[in-house]
Amino acid sequence: MNGLDIRRACELAEQVAAKRWLIEGLWAEAAVGIVGGEPKCCKSFLGLSMAVSVAAGVPCLGRFPVVNRGPVLLYAAEDAPHIVRTRLHGICTSAQVPWDSLDVHVIVDPVVRLDVQADRGRLFEAADRLRPRLIVLDPFVRLHRIDENTASEVAPLLAYLREVQRSLGCAVVLVHHARKGGHARAGQALRGSSELHAWGDSNLYLRRDAERLLLSIEHRAAASSSGIELALGERGGGLTLHVRD
């Protein structure tokens, strides 16, 4: 019978700095997590911005450098393909990224459900074939027919996404809605079970303060930050989300 592999704390391997981040300061390498916020807070635009940045290796929001670029798998369940195309094209134009070479792959199936075993298999097969650096799923509410308030129903879906992340070594971004109203911590505003907030290695939260759009960044294993002001506007001929100077 083999014993447990036990080592002194000082003998544990250190993490290589270059492997710590996918998008420096914004999203950890191979992290799962939530992009959350109330309606009309540009959650989907932030997810698309992350997709373009990782695929093209350009700074996200014009501020956060991409450490490890690579293919991106995207499922935008609430938007028609032509709308997704227009938004991605605008972000590319603003960032001066060649449109024809953008390594973002969009799932155009009308329905993909994480609570259906066949759909889970199709999603994993597609990701295994593409080997993306990042998977963006937007929004969570369109990916299931479970009760979001019941932890025992939410947990298996999140466990599946964690399995995808660990098996393929990719990051997973799950776009999710937040409840309206003030909360002490941004994660407490996420709609549904507290499992969603606890699940994330990196979480991004968007909220509006009067006319200001504010971003909060939360990491499991790095410093967090808040009050970063964003703006959605035209830059370089394309509509893009960026950190306000």
Side-chain angles (χ1 to χ4, degrees), residues 61-244:
L61 303 176
R63 173 70 60 85
F64 302 95
V66 170
V67 178
N68 291 304
R69 64 180 293 185
V72 175
L73 182 61
L74 167 68
Y75 182 51
E78 288 189 328
D79 296 317
H82 71 275
I83 294 176
V84 177
R85 176 190 172 97
T86 298
R87 290 177 175 176
L88 288 172
H89 190 275
I91 296 169
C92 285
T93 300
S94 176
Q96 299 183 334
V97 170
W99 172 243
D100 292 341
S101 63
L102 182 67
D103 207 4
V104 173
H105 304 257
V106 183
I107 298 170
V108 294
D109 288 59
V111 178
V112 176
R113 287 178 50 190
L114 299 183
D115 56 334
V116 174
Q117 189 62 40
D119 282 5
R120 289 189 192 186
R122 291 195 301 148
L123 179 58
F124 186 88
E125 186 276 332
D128 189 33
R129 184 175 66 250
L130 181 62
R131 289 285 165 164
R133 183 73 67 183
L134 171 66
I135 298 174
V136 179
L137 303 172
D138 177 16
F140 181 57
V141 70
R142 301 298 178 210
L143 297 170
H144 64 80
R145 291 182 181 174
I146 64 168
D147 182 354
E148 291 182 356
N149 295 300
T150 303
S152 61
E153 295 188 34
V154 172
L157 274 61
L158 300 181
Y160 162 76
L161 294 176
R162 176 69 78 177
E163 179 184 352
V164 172
Q165 171 248 333
R166 288 175 173 169
S167 298
L168 304 181
C170 62
V172 179
V173 169
L174 192 59
V175 178
H176 186 47
H177 298 300
R179 297 184 293 270
K180 293 183 179 181
H183 293 268
R185 294 182 59 191
Q188 295 173 350
L190 291 176
R191 195 174 68 184
S193 169
S194 59
E195 290 282 332
L196 287 155
H197 180 216
W199 172 72
D201 303 318
S202 291
N203 292 323
L204 307 178
Y205 304 109
L206 292 161
R207 66 180 179 88
R208 289 200 180 274
D209 180 7
E211 297 302 316
R212 302 169 69 213
L213 178 61
L214 301 177
L215 170 68
S216 296
I217 304 171
E218 179 183 81
H219 300 294
R220 191 186 301 278
S224 301
S225 58
S226 61
I228 302 169
E229 188 172 355
L230 306 182
L232 179 65
E234 187 171 305
R235 276 193 167 188
L239 187 65
T240 188
L241 190 66
H242 57 273
V243 175
R244 186 180 293 276

Side-chain angles (χ1 to χ4, degrees), residues 4-20:
L4 294 173
D5 184 1
I6 300 176
R7 307 177 190 184
R8 292 180 61 202
C10 62
E11 297 172 338
L12 297 176
E14 295 186 55
Q15 185 177 29
V16 179
K19 295 182 178 180
R20 183 180 183 185

